[in-house]
């Protein structure tokens, strides 16, 4: 299975999985042998992720990829592919203004064997929100967007009434006016 991920994607994935800086550089050079990635490159991505709000350890405190904290290391190529599909689905839902909860629920239901975690979806959103050239809403912005969209869809209740229902409401309103006037 060919790995077509960019240097940045490999570095970020390694950091999220708990890799030390050297392990992240090794992972990049395994796929891109001519890459000029080094300790400073990984530190740059690590700082960028932290400033985006991702809960990752510092380079000094990174446990190492085999002892990663965010996601269990896949044991087979099939596990890895399933996990990547679940993450891809979660990213698509996030980019389409879904909430973290919706992205996690749909990814976990579509790929139950992936073992995707809520925290992993949250980390994915943080990365996407701060990725250059992407306009992705934060989780709270996505929730607000959905509420506004739902309000726009429902519109004013009077717009959804038939003529008979509208006339009945007018009659009830007149009755209420008479009752309140007494």
């Amino acid at each position: 299975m060919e790995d077509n991920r960019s240097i940045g994607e490999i570095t970020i994935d390694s950091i999220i999985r708990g890799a030390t800086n050297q392990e992240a550089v090794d992972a990049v050079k395994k796929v891109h042998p001519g890459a000029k990635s080094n300790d400073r490159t990984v530190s740059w991505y690590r700082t960028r992720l932290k400033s985006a709000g991702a809960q990752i350890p510092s380079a000094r405190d990174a446990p190492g990829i085999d002892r990663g904290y965010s996601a269990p290391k896949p044991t087979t190529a099939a596990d890895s592919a399933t996990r990547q599909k679940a993450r891809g689905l979660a990213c698509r839902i996030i980019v389409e203004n879904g909430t973290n909860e919706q992205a996690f629920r749909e990814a976990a239901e579509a790929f139950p064997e992936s073992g995707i975690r809520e925290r992993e979806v949250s980390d994915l959103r943080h990365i996407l929100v701060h990725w250059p050239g992407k306009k992705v809403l934060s989780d709270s912005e996505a929730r607000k967007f959905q509420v506004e969209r739902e309000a726009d869809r429902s519109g004013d209740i009077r717009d959804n009434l038939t003529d008979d229902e509208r006339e009945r409401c007018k009659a009830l309103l007149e009755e209420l006016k008479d009752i309140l006037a007494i």
Side-chain angles (χ1 to χ4, degrees), residues 57-112:
S58 65
R60 183 179 28 165
D61 297 332
I65 208 157
D66 289 332
R67 296 163 300 285
Y69 69 99
S70 181
K73 186 175 180 183
T75 55
T76 67
D79 291 342
S80 178
T82 301
R83 186 169 208 83
Q84 285 301 106
K85 287 177 185 177
R87 291 169 57 118
L89 176 59
C91 285
R92 186 184 57 106
I93 293 165
I94 289 169
V95 169
E96 293 173 352
N97 301 324
T99 64
N100 288 357
E101 183 181 341
Q102 292 166 334
F104 169 72
R105 187 176 56 244
E106 289 190 37
E109 286 175 6
F111 302 99

Side-chain angles (χ1 to χ4, degrees), residues 4-80:
N4 295 324
R5 296 179 296 163
S6 70
I7 291 170
E9 290 171 328
I10 295 168
T11 305
I12 289 169
D13 186 53
S14 297
I15 292 169
I16 289 173
R17 289 177 46 217
T20 63
N21 284 6
Q22 188 56 53
E23 287 174 325
V25 169
D26 293 344
V28 167
K29 291 191 176 185
K30 183 177 179 183
V31 177
H32 301 282
K36 296 180 181 177
S37 295
N38 57 36
D39 190 60
R40 287 182 14 193
T41 308
V42 180
S43 291
W44 183 86
Y45 279 102
R46 192 178 297 278
T47 300
R48 188 166 178 85
L49 288 168
K50 280 187 171 200
S51 67
Q55 299 296 318
I56 57 169
S58 65
R60 183 179 28 165
D61 297 332
I65 208 157
D66 289 332
R67 296 163 300 285
Y69 69 99
S70 181
K73 186 175 180 183
T75 55
T76 67
D79 291 342
S80 178

Side-chain angles (χ1 to χ4, degrees), residues 82-140:
T82 301
R83 186 169 208 83
Q84 285 301 106
K85 287 177 185 177
R87 291 169 57 118
L89 176 59
C91 285
R92 186 184 57 106
I93 293 165
I94 289 169
V95 169
E96 293 173 352
N97 301 324
T99 64
N100 288 357
E101 183 181 341
Q102 292 166 334
F104 169 72
R105 187 176 56 244
E106 289 190 37
E109 286 175 6
F111 302 99
E113 65 282 359
S114 71
I116 193 165
R117 299 177 182 172
E118 290 180 67
R119 174 62 173 262
E120 194 172 353
V121 172
S122 179
D123 287 345
L124 289 170
R125 179 178 296 277
H126 285 298
I127 292 166
L128 290 170
V129 164
H130 292 87
W131 198 259
K134 289 219 185 258
K135 175 59 181 135
V136 177
L137 302 177
S138 68
D139 192 47
S140 59

